[in-house]
Amino acid sequence: CAICHQIGGQGAVIGPQLDGVGARGLDRILEDVIDPNRNVDPMFRYSNVTLKDGDTLSGLARGEAGQNLILIDLTGKENPIPKSDIDTIEVSKLSLMPTGFGEIIPQEDFNNLLSFLLSQSTPPKKP
C-alpha cells in the first residue's frame, strides 16, 4: 500500500492519504479496496498522454512546471513532459489501484488490512 498511499508520514502520495481513513467505516473502506473504480476522486484519475511521436505515457497529472506537464508514474517518480511534445491527453475515469484487491492477497492478510485501516479513525495530531 505504501507504494501509493501515505499514513503517518510514511509512504508515497500517489493515491489518497490514509490518515483517519477508519472514520469512513467498513462499508466504504471495502468499496474503496475491492472496487476502487466505483467512486474515483478526479484528483486520482490517471491520464493517458499520447506524444506527437506516437509514444503513450500513463500516470497522474499533477500540474505544470513552466512548459512541462508533470506526470507521476506508478513508482511515484515525477516525469516532466514538454507540453510541445503532447498530441492528446485522455483522463480516465478509472483508478490506478488494481481491482479485486481482496482476491489478490490471502484472506487473513486482507482481514488484517481491514482491521488496520479501521483502526486509523483519527488523523495524527500535528506538532
Side-chain angles (χ1 to χ4, degrees):
C1 301
I3 292 170
C4 292
H5 299 280
Q6 188 176 90
I7 190 165
Q10 303 259 327
V13 287
I14 297 170
Q17 291 187 303
L18 298 179
D19 292 320
V21 71
R24 299 180 103 180
L26 178 61
D27 290 342
R28 183 59 196 269
I29 291 173
L30 278 170
E31 176 185 306
D32 290 345
V33 172
I34 294 173
D35 187 10
N37 294 318
R38 183 180 294 183
N39 186 19
V40 183
D41 184 307
M43 184 176 170
F44 299 108
R45 291 180 180 167
Y46 70 89
S47 295
N48 290 314
V49 178
T50 302
L51 304 178
K52 290 178 180 173
D53 68 5
D55 285 346
T56 301
L57 306 169
S58 295
L60 294 174
R62 285 287 167 92
E64 298 177 358
Q67 295 301 309
N68 294 321
L69 170 71
I70 305 301
L71 199 68
I72 309 289
D73 68 17
L74 289 174
T75 67
K77 180 182 174 194
E78 291 188 4
N79 297 293
I81 303 168
K83 290 188 260 183
S84 61
D85 291 350
I86 297 173
D87 184 32
T88 62
I89 300 174
E90 292 181 40
V91 179
S92 173
K93 294 184 188 282
L94 302 177
S95 170
L96 285 174
M97 185 163 164
T99 57
F101 197 73
E103 298 168 10
I104 295 171
I105 63 174
Q107 184 67 46
E108 184 176 347
D109 292 344
F110 184 71
N111 292 341
N112 288 336
L113 171 65
L114 292 176
S115 294
F116 174 74
L117 293 174
L118 284 168
S119 74
Q120 306 302 306
S121 58
T122 25
K125 294 182 180 175
K126 298 191 179 200

